[in-house]
Amino acid sequence: MERDNAIFELIEREHHRQQGGLELIASENFVSEQVMRAMGSCLTNKYAEGYPGHRYYGGCQVVDEVESLAIERIKALFDAEWANVQPHSGAQANMAVFMACLNAGDKFMGLNLAHGGHLSHGSPVNFSGIMFQQCEYNVCPDTGLVDYDMMEEVALRERPRLIVGGASAYSREWDYARMRAIADKVGAILLIDMAHPAGLIAAGLLENPLKYAHIVTSTTHKTLRGPRGGIILMGKDFDNPWGKVTKKGVVRKMSSLLDSAVFPGVQGGPLEHVIAAKAVAFGEALQPSFKDYALQVRANARAMAQALIDRGYKICSGGTDNHCILVDLRTKFPELTGKVAENALVAADITANKNMVPFDDRSAFQTSGLRLGTPAITPRGLKEDSMEPIVELIDTVLHAPEDEHVIAAVRAKVNEMMNDRPMFAW
Ligand code: DSN
């Protein structure tokens, strides 16, 4: 077979982009070489519909061991009683939970998308908002923190069957105990989607939602530094039946409902090569050095937030407890949209994304915010002392987003800073 130059040249170009740039997208990361190797292995050739020991195909004896190891490791990492490692993504993990816990048309509650929530927590263009009825809670206008009083008020009024916590642009710790109390008060199931801070939780730097939530979902590729994918976990509530009765009158355990919801509910054959890479990443996260990584991610985020504040930027909620920083551009640059800022930064090889800020007066396509994060620059070896110089580069671009000379000069500095750093130096 001839080499597919078209694709391999594109991969090489992407490699070059990643190598020379500053990756500040809060949901991205750089995986280790062994995570990459597991993903690019012969396991991709195997069909394995079903679960270890109960497959619909022969020849699954090896992938059974791979998947069992991934389950064992993720349970150890988060002190879980039960895990499903098959979801292809975080959104699919959430979809499976909705399928297991709700009937079409049931009501659930999630964080307002415009206040940092996620598409799969009730956006009208996502399955969650199309097939189910969403009610929502906000962050407080004065503090930028989740408004738990509002959450309770809405829960008591709307009686959702499922309450979802977790966000894609929220930089503060969650009050899981209060959320569980609210869920218990209205008889709702509590789902925490920890996709963003999962790595910091695994390292023990943030509260573990498994102690409070009935069900926890996550992606594996953000702060957890694994391959792209999803997981579903349960703690002490794993054995609870939640009243879904089968046609034969059997009340099924939630763990069994969730397994069936993933396969055959919303997915077919699992991606065993990705599950192997997940197992490798979970093994890495169980090593003591992962805690050093997570500590550095958080230290870098704090230093970056402070450097931004020192230059007059407004940070939503006033700072960060995790890896993520949401900048409200309006205070410093009232006319600058997130869209223009994102494009100018990308031209300077600094990748970040536009994001709505709470109570934004611009649309999701323009936005007044910029989301930044430190999970991906940290494995490249950058520490606190690099954060002020990085903020200076960002600030220079945002002062002159249409000036090609300024952008070219910043790009040269970014490339000089990054070109010789290995993709994964941790
Ligand atoms: N798209 C992800 C993020 O960037 O936060 C969430 O799934």
Side-chain angles (χ1 to χ4, degrees):
M1 199 85 70
E2 269 183 36
R3 183 176 188 271
D4 189 337
N5 287 332
I7 282 296
F8 285 103
E9 274 163 23
L10 287 170
I11 292 174
E12 195 41 47
R13 265 177 56 199
E14 174 61 9
H15 183 263
H16 184 75
R17 188 192 71 80
Q18 292 185 14
Q19 177 67 49
L22 264 171
E23 184 49 75
L24 295 175
I25 291 185
S27 49
E28 293 193 10
N29 214 326
F30 290 100
V31 298
S32 70
E33 202 179 323
Q34 54 177 355
V35 167
M36 198 76 92
R37 282 185 58 198
M39 267 187 290
S41 72
C42 65
L43 298 185
T44 192
N45 298 331
K46 189 71 198 99
Y47 243 123
E49 286 180 7
Y51 289 99
H54 307 277
R55 305 281 192 184
Y56 289 84
Y57 290 83
C60 290
Q61 59 275 23
V62 178
V63 293
D64 273 5
E65 286 191 45
V66 168
E67 192 167 332
S68 299
L69 205 49
I71 290 170
E72 235 173 74
R73 287 180 181 175
I74 196 72
K75 281 166 62 180
L77 194 57
F78 289 103
D79 205 12
E81 298 284 344
W82 175 91
N84 186 310
V85 295
Q86 290 194 1
H88 301 331
S89 69
Q92 297 226 249
N94 288 341
M95 189 173 196
V97 175
F98 278 62
M99 294 275 290
C101 300
L102 304 177
N103 293 309
D106 277 354
K107 195 173 278 183
F108 75 98
M109 179 163 71
L111 175 62
N112 183 343
L113 185 61
H115 287 211
H118 187 254
L119 275 175
S120 64
H121 300 181
S123 158
V125 293
N126 180 264
F127 79 88
S128 53
I130 294 170
M131 293 172 58
F132 305 95
Q133 277 187 68
Q134 194 238 25
C135 55
E136 62 192 17
Y137 54 94
N138 289 340
V139 297
C140 300
D142 45 342
T143 60
L145 302 179
V146 166
D147 187 342
Y148 295 98
D149 292 337
M150 176 181 183
M151 186 188 289
E152 183 160 353
E153 252 175 64
V154 175
L156 287 167
R157 189 178 64 235
E158 302 287 339
R159 299 268 156 188
R161 191 164 158 69
L162 177 76
I163 297 178
V164 186
S168 56
Y170 186 64
S171 55
R172 294 301 187 177
E173 177 63 293
W174 288 75
D175 188 346
Y176 300 126
R178 174 102 195 256
M179 291 191 75
R180 177 63 187 253
I182 295 170
D184 285 346
K185 216 168 181 175
V186 298
I189 294 169
L190 178 61
L191 163 66
I192 299 297
D193 178 346
M194 63 170 180
H196 264 267
L200 304 195
I201 293 167
L205 306 189
L206 294 171
E207 185 74 278
N208 184 350
L210 269 287
K211 286 196 269 176
Y212 305 95
H214 296 99
I215 306 171
V216 172
T217 54
S218 183
T219 54
T220 47
H221 50 272
K222 297 187 174 91
T223 48
L224 204 47
R225 219 176 57 191
R228 308 196 75 77
I231 45 173
I232 309 176
L233 306 173
M234 275 195 292
K236 60 182 164 42
D237 293 306
F238 81 105
D239 224 8
N240 282 358
W242 268 299
K244 259 207 171 178
V245 182
T246 66
K247 286 187 186 130
K248 291 182 185 151
V250 178
V251 180
R252 290 176 62 191
K253 287 182 187 174
M254 185 48 87
S255 51
S256 145
L257 283 169
L258 285 168
D259 272 343
S260 304
V262 173
F263 170 82
V266 301
Q267 292 187 176
L271 311 176
E272 292 295 340
H273 56 306
V274 176
I275 290 174
K278 287 176 182 173
V280 173
F282 304 156
E284 289 175 350
L286 283 163
Q287 305 298 316
S289 60
F290 189 81
K291 180 158 187 179
D292 300 335
Y293 161 74
L295 281 166
Q296 192 63 57
V297 167
R298 188 172 67 178
N300 284 349
R302 286 179 177 168
M304 185 177 284
Q306 191 55 53
L308 286 158
I309 290 167
D310 292 346
R311 283 177 182 268
Y313 288 90
K314 180 181 172 198
I315 308 298
C316 297
S317 86
T320 181
D321 296 331
N322 56 29
H323 61 293
C324 178
I325 301 155
L326 186 57
V327 184
D328 186 339
L329 295 166
R330 291 175 295 190
T331 318
K332 186 153 175 178
F333 299 111
E335 305 304 322
L336 181 66
T337 64
K339 183 178 178 184
V340 169
E342 175 187 302
N343 288 340
L345 289 168
V346 165
D349 284 352
I350 300 173
T351 319
N353 65 281
K354 64 179 174 295
N355 213 101
M356 286 184 86
V357 291
F359 310 100
D360 207 327
D361 42 15
R362 293 190 176 106
S363 75
F365 296 103
Q366 297 296 329
T367 85
S368 301
L370 193 63
R371 188 183 65 161
L372 302 171
T374 53
I377 51 169
T378 303
R380 310 254 356 233
L382 294 170
K383 298 210 160 50
E384 291 98 310
D385 59 350
S386 297
M387 298 306 117
E388 159 53 29
I390 289 173
V391 167
E392 185 182 359
L393 294 173
I394 293 172
D395 193 44
T396 305
V397 171
L398 298 188
H399 269 101
E402 271 146 31
D403 187 327
E404 283 174 22
H405 297 291
V406 169
I407 288 174
V410 170
R411 186 168 61 238
K413 286 187 184 162
V414 167
N415 297 156
E416 194 188 325
M417 185 190 295
M418 302 309 290
N419 269 340
D420 293 333
R421 291 179 178 275
M423 293 271 264
F424 185 92
W426 199 265

